[in-house]
Amino acid sequence: MNKTTLYHGFVLGVALLIGSMAMGCASLRVPLSPSQIAIPDEDHGLLLGKIHLTRDGKSPSEGLSWPKEMKWWVEDEATGTRLMIGHLPVDGPFAVHLPVGSYRVTDISLAGTRGIWHTVLPTTFTIRPRECTALGTLDLEMQTGFFTGWMARQVSHEKGIDAEDMGETYGAQGCPTQVAPLETSVKSVVRKQFPTRGAGRF
């Protein structure tokens, strides 16, 4: 094996390492199953919410073919650490275990039949140690064209339930709960992007 071959092998190895490190910069978080939901430790909290999506006038109960789920990219505003929350439901509750911090959602993506739709809806929340943070019920309405469209969000909370008892609504019994102060009515553009060949997937 000559020096040129060794050099090319070294360069390829470094490139693969850098690529894998770049992919690892954003760790994946997924919703917990009901049996996994528990009061978190001093370094973590739970993000709770419900999502109900309609696309072009159809909801999952009316035969909505896509999307089946969505992904949120979130960023810790103090450290810049990025996380991806994957497999969020488009019709139902969720509970996600997250490190303590103040976060903002930087991208929401939904897989379509021929591309990925992206949008950003103003969403910030704080995760406190051993506590739950409730986003409430997010009613999302999505309209799509060929390459662009829009998504609107309405936020509501369970009526007649104190904030500290809100966790029970999502299966997190006994979890001290705060309500995230989201804007109740927002609307944003959605754009279709075509996946890059060979791009990593979660």
Side-chain angles (χ1 to χ4, degrees), residues 21-93:
M21 287 173 65
M23 291 290 294
C25 287
S27 62
L28 174 66
R29 302 296 170 122
V30 296
L32 302 170
S33 68
S35 63
Q36 293 174 313
I37 297 174
I39 295 177
D41 59 33
E42 68 242 12
D43 297 320
H44 295 84
L46 286 178
L47 180 67
L48 309 173
K50 289 182 182 177
I51 297 172
H52 179 70
L53 172 75
T54 59
R55 178 184 60 81
D56 301 327
K58 278 192 173 183
S59 68
S61 62
E62 298 166 324
L64 181 67
S65 58
W66 68 266
K68 299 297 184 186
E69 58 187 31
M70 66 176 64
K71 297 175 183 176
W72 290 2
W73 288 95
V74 301
E75 182 177 276
D76 187 313
E77 294 183 310
T79 65
T81 301
R82 297 183 73 214
L83 302 171
M84 189 179 78
I85 304 174
H87 307 298
L88 284 168
V90 294
D91 191 23

Side-chain angles (χ1 to χ4, degrees), residues 27-194:
S27 62
L28 174 66
R29 302 296 170 122
V30 296
L32 302 170
S33 68
S35 63
Q36 293 174 313
I37 297 174
I39 295 177
D41 59 33
E42 68 242 12
D43 297 320
H44 295 84
L46 286 178
L47 180 67
L48 309 173
K50 289 182 182 177
I51 297 172
H52 179 70
L53 172 75
T54 59
R55 178 184 60 81
D56 301 327
K58 278 192 173 183
S59 68
S61 62
E62 298 166 324
L64 181 67
S65 58
W66 68 266
K68 299 297 184 186
E69 58 187 31
M70 66 176 64
K71 297 175 183 176
W72 290 2
W73 288 95
V74 301
E75 182 177 276
D76 187 313
E77 294 183 310
T79 65
T81 301
R82 297 183 73 214
L83 302 171
M84 189 179 78
I85 304 174
H87 307 298
L88 284 168
V90 294
D91 191 23
F94 64 87
V96 181
H97 193 247
L98 292 175
V100 169
S102 293
Y103 294 92
R104 65 186 180 93
V105 176
T106 59
D107 182 71
I108 297 171
S109 65
L110 307 98
T113 54
R114 293 192 177 99
I116 311 294
W117 292 87
H118 293 269
T119 191
V120 177
L121 296 170
T123 307
T124 59
F125 56 88
T126 299
I127 299 295
R128 295 191 171 95
R130 299 184 182 274
E131 291 188 11
C132 291
T133 299
L135 297 180
T137 298
L138 312 179
D139 286 305
L140 305 177
E141 181 183 357
M142 182 178 178
Q143 291 287 331
T144 58
F146 286 110
F147 298 106
T148 63
W150 55 263
M151 180 181 285
R153 181 188 71 199
Q154 297 284 338
V155 180
S156 62
H157 293 280
E158 299 292 334
K159 294 180 179 176
I161 297 178
D162 293 331
E164 57 268 20
D165 299 325
M166 191 86 61
E168 296 185 20
T169 305
Y170 306 93
Q173 285 79 7
C175 185
T177 305
Q178 58 170 327
V179 175
L182 300 186
E183 293 181 57
T184 57
S185 181
V186 296
K187 188 175 182 178
S188 184
V189 173
V190 292
R191 290 187 172 87
K192 184 194 285 187
Q193 294 180 357
F194 298 96

